[in-house]
Amino acid sequence: MKYADVFNGDADGICALHQLRLAEPRQSELITGVKRDISLLKRVQAAAGDCVTVLDISLDKNRDDLIRLLDAGASVFYCDHHFAGDLPVADRLEAHINTDADVCTSLLVNARLGGAHLPWAVTAAFGDNLFAAARTAAIPLNLSADQLSRLEHLGTLVNYNGYGVTLDDLYITPDDLYRAIAPYDDPFAFMDESPAYTQLDEGYAADIRQARELPVAIEEPAIAMIMMPDAPWTRRVSGVYGNELARQFPDRAHALLTELPDGGYRISVRAPLSNKTGADELCMQFPTGGGRKAAAGINALPAAMLNAFIDAFRRMYG
């Protein structure tokens, strides 16, 4: 029997797997990538009797390979909060899918484990910009304001580390960051002891400082759009900066556009926190678009479609 753990390289994917493996330790092949690399099941080879765990990647985007693995006789545990479409019918598929805008994969795993490793679920919810859900989930922990703030920052850092076009953009590859976190049942001990935490903290501080100095290209009551140069630091910080803007202006939708070498754009969209819906619907109108209701993106928007995107952005939120 072979085990494979397939997970998004952001805070939600890493913390979801961490909770599961604290509760159910096992040696497994780790399959992950940058946050936007969600077609991960194509990298999995499995046979009858093998077990595959899939966390925080859209079932709809991995449907064909999921069916391939099930047809090969593998058992699959699938937990996610992105658009899934119709679920395959198979005895060996255990699916936990919830696309509610206030849910993330780590909170779903936490519910399955009965809160056994709740601080890590709270960390992930903060990383996914689900601040209200994170604070609600944290109530049983009786944390101080300072402790809650530290978990918020940890979630932001782990999420920040997942953004990039290639692994070379990241300070730490997601599989190595998971391995750095894996020995720690206590996230506060990880923050106090791990060199990985210090590295991410320092990198994030430098990147977010530059992002906050960028001009706003479009600023209207209901929407704002920021243009970003294509550089490693912008590729790292675009997602968490979008989350920050969403919290600062909760009634406004935000789009962060990074100019690509071919003239196209990579786009991160954040729905207003007061109306966490429509981001996935907006982005799925365009090639390479996808995501969830509150936060979505387009990997490569052709330059000729920019005005169409701006018009659709206004229609969705304006």
Side-chain angles (χ1 to χ4, degrees):
M1 179 183 293
K2 182 178 72 174
Y3 295 102
D5 287 333
V6 185
F7 58 104
N8 195 305
D10 69 355
D12 196 19
I14 290 173
C15 292
L17 179 60
H18 185 42
Q19 290 176 84
L20 280 176
R21 292 297 156 255
L22 286 172
E24 305 165 5
R26 66 176 56 159
Q27 293 296 316
S28 64
E29 179 185 7
L30 300 180
I31 298 173
T32 187
V34 297
K35 181 179 175 68
R36 287 175 181 261
D37 185 3
I38 59 172
S39 299
L40 295 175
L41 283 191
K42 65 186 178 184
R43 292 163 49 188
V44 180
Q45 299 299 320
D50 292 343
C51 295
V52 181
T53 296
V54 190
L55 301 167
D56 200 38
I57 58 173
S58 166
L59 189 151
D60 189 58
K61 299 291 187 182
N62 289 272
R63 182 179 308 279
D64 291 345
D65 286 296
L66 172 59
I67 293 171
R68 171 180 60 81
L69 295 172
L70 293 169
D71 287 345
S75 296
V76 180
F77 173 85
Y78 209 117
C79 188
D80 185 46
H81 66 133
H82 300 90
F83 175 78
D86 295 331
L87 301 184
V89 178
D91 292 339
R92 292 185 307 280
L93 173 63
E94 180 184 348
H96 300 263
I97 309 291
N98 185 341
T99 61
D100 186 274
D102 290 317
V103 167
C104 64
T105 304
S106 284
L107 289 175
L108 295 175
V109 169
N110 175 71
R112 183 178 183 272
L113 299 178
H117 303 288
L118 177 56
W120 287 106
V122 171
T123 298
F126 276 127
D128 246 17
N129 209 34
L130 302 178
F131 275 43
R135 293 189 178 104
T136 299
I139 290 172
L141 298 173
N142 294 314
L143 300 175
S144 67
D146 178 67
Q147 288 174 312
L148 202 59
S149 178
R150 292 186 71 196
L151 291 186
E152 172 190 322
H153 190 58
L154 174 59
T156 298
L157 293 183
V158 178
N159 207 51
Y160 152 81
N161 184 70
Y163 283 95
V165 175
T166 69
L167 295 174
D168 289 339
D169 289 333
L170 312 184
Y171 282 109
I172 307 172
T173 62
D175 55 337
D176 281 344
L177 182 54
Y178 167 74
R179 292 185 184 99
I181 287 172
Y184 293 93
D185 180 68
D186 179 6
F188 297 103
F190 170 75
M191 288 185 276
D192 290 339
E193 300 171 9
S194 175
Y197 177 81
T198 302
Q199 183 179 10
L200 294 183
D201 189 35
E202 293 174 351
Y204 170 78
D207 288 351
I208 198 69
R209 185 166 53 248
Q210 293 186 81
R212 289 168 179 159
E213 296 173 354
L214 291 170
V216 180
I218 294 176
E219 188 168 18
E220 300 172 4
I223 65 168
M225 190 171 78
I226 293 90
M227 302 295 293
M228 309 183 77
D230 188 27
W233 74 268
T234 60
R235 296 194 288 268
R236 287 192 298 265
V237 83
S238 63
V240 291
Y241 184 47
N243 291 345
E244 178 180 291
L245 289 170
R247 295 192 301 274
Q248 287 180 349
F249 304 96
D251 296 323
R252 195 170 75 180
H254 295 85
L256 281 73
L257 281 69
T258 302
E259 300 180 61
L260 301 177
D262 65 359
Y265 300 91
R266 184 171 52 255
I267 303 177
S268 291
V269 173
R270 297 294 181 268
L273 289 186
S274 60
N275 178 30
K276 292 189 290 188
T277 189
D280 54 349
E281 181 182 343
L282 169 67
C283 292
M284 288 169 64
Q285 297 177 40
F286 299 92
T288 71
R292 52 190 175 87
K293 295 177 182 179
I298 302 170
N299 287 338
L301 181 80
M305 301 184 76
L306 176 59
N307 288 336
F309 170 79
I310 295 172
D311 290 342
F313 188 40
R314 283 198 177 101
R315 284 196 302 271
M316 179 64 68
Y317 296 112

